[in-house]
Amino acid sequence: MSLPARLAFSDVDETLIDCKSMFDFLDHYLAARYGPQGLRRGRRVREELTALAAGGTPREETNRIYYREWAGEPAGAAAEAGRAWFAERSARTGFYIGSVRDALTRHRAAGDGVVLVSGSFPAILDPIAADIGATHLVCSRPEVRGGVFTGGLDGEPVIGEEKRRAVRALLGRHPWIDPAHCYGYGDHASDLPMLTEVGNPVVVGDPALAELLPGARLLLLDGASAAG
């Protein structure tokens, strides 16, 4: 197999898929495992974290709070539930944002490495990465002891500046790749650190964000594009 000449980095939630996967999966998991009580708990978590974010709590902190909700849950059960969640959700029209999935498919066909970069976690992301043929997955990693989530993280949440560090670290392991030739796909201001590390940033669906990146391409949700 030839070595890739470029890497294409992509956020996941509301960039590649049309949902906030962490909340959607938490609802799915808790409802299946604990019934109506679990579903109410999932909704409570969503409401509390949404309120914190609206009040200015950094995404890095809300990410950590989210994973505390997984304390005591078996990692194997979460992985199994993630496969079931993906099979159910991906069968629905509109799960993938078609313009981004098509772009990543073209990258793969050109021999580029595809890298998913997300604050979500492997139970959710592994099936997506396998389905689109991603060569690397960089994400938040819940801490596991004795097969059970502790509620902590191994390392930092992959949000904001951590995305920049992740891109630099991966490029450091591929010294023959010029960052100026690489691509990045994101939809939110927290993706800016990642997008500014590559020569070809692509903003998904947000003209205001594209204006912050001179030369960025704006990828509209209907598949059209415009120069930034």
Side-chain angles (χ1 to χ4, degrees), residues 186-203:
D187 72 294
H188 188 268
S190 62
D191 296 318
L192 277 173
M194 173 180 74
L195 297 176
T196 57
E197 289 296 310
V198 299
N200 299 282
V202 182
V203 173

Side-chain angles (χ1 to χ4, degrees), residues 80-138:
E80 182 178 354
R83 291 188 289 271
W85 172 84
F86 174 76
E88 177 186 317
R89 297 297 193 266
S90 64
R92 299 177 182 176
T93 300
F95 174 76
Y96 283 112
I97 294 175
S99 55
V100 178
R101 185 179 187 182
D102 290 347
L104 297 183
T105 297
R106 290 193 294 272
H107 280 294
R108 286 186 57 213
D112 301 342
V114 173
V115 186
L116 298 187
V117 186
S118 174
S120 191
F121 68 119
I124 297 169
L125 297 171
D126 281 344
I128 297 172
D131 189 53
I132 69 163
T135 49
H136 301 279
L137 172 60
V138 181

Side-chain angles (χ1 to χ4, degrees), residues 6 27 39 54 94 103 120 174 179 213 217:
R6 299 182 301 191
D27 287 345
L39 188 57
S120 191
H174 296 75
L213 285 162
R217 184 160 62 96

Side-chain angles (χ1 to χ4, degrees), residues 22-23 26-27 30 38-52 62 65-70:
M22 294 163 68
F23 288 141
L26 185 66
D27 287 345
L30 292 176
L39 188 57
R40 288 193 295 272
R41 178 182 162 197
R43 289 173 177 166
R44 172 187 58 78
V45 172
R46 180 194 296 260
E47 291 170 359
E48 290 178 356
L49 292 182
T50 299
L52 286 171
T62 59
I65 295 170
Y66 171 87
Y67 289 112
R68 290 173 197 155
E69 292 293 328
W70 286 91

